[in-house]
Amino acid sequence: MAVAGFAVGQEMTSCPPPSVPMPKGARDCGIACKFPSSSKIVFGVVADQLSLAADESGKIESVLVSGIDAIQATALAINEYGAPDEAEVREKLSYWGWRRGEVRLVIFHHPGDRASSSVILDRYPQ
């Protein structure tokens, strides 16, 4: 599974253009990058923000997207990866999740608040 062309475990030696480095937590080594606002397409939808982080060996460990049309992104993710492994639709928060081995993709939808809707791709140990 991939988000905006980035996959968990993919090699990353530095921040790809046009992203810029950003600090990771004090205990974490590795690379963290943030793309300029509205510069990336995620599942065919322009995202407000996209950031990614790699571990100390330079392999991507997570991709975080926020400010996205989650309904459209979910429809395109379903076309790409099939029906979600789990989903819950509620009035204030809905989510759809896929797991493939140790990789997890989750899309969160906050109705009426596009800025809070997000996509997370990360490693999910079994």
Side-chain angles (χ1 to χ4, degrees):
M1 290 194 290
V3 170
F6 299 106
V8 170
Q10 176 181 335
E11 295 275 339
M12 188 173 79
T13 56
S14 64
C15 289
S19 69
V20 295
M22 58 186 252
K24 283 184 80 173
R27 298 180 318 161
D28 294 323
C29 298
I31 301 165
C33 309
K34 183 176 184 177
F35 285 83
S37 295
S38 302
S39 67
K40 284 307 248 177
I41 303 292
V42 177
F43 294 117
V45 182
V46 175
D48 290 348
Q49 295 182 13
L50 184 139
S51 57
L52 53 100
D55 61 19
E56 58 278 347
S57 69
K59 293 186 179 182
I60 294 176
E61 59 185 17
S62 63
V63 179
L64 172 63
V65 178
S66 60
I68 190 162
D69 180 338
I71 298 298
Q72 185 177 351
T74 299
L76 292 165
I78 289 170
N79 283 341
E80 185 78 21
Y81 301 117
D85 298 314
E86 53 184 292
E88 190 166 324
V89 177
R90 294 193 172 191
E91 186 178 323
K92 295 185 180 196
L93 172 68
S94 299
Y95 75 89
W96 299 267
W98 294 260
R99 284 188 52 193
R100 302 294 182 268
E102 288 189 333
V103 178
R104 169 180 62 180
L105 171 68
V106 183
I107 300 175
F108 295 96
H109 172 59
H110 294 264
D113 188 7
R114 182 180 186 271
S116 295
S117 295
S118 60
V119 176
I120 299 171
L121 177 72
D122 63 1
R123 191 173 310 280
Y124 188 80
Q126 296 183 4

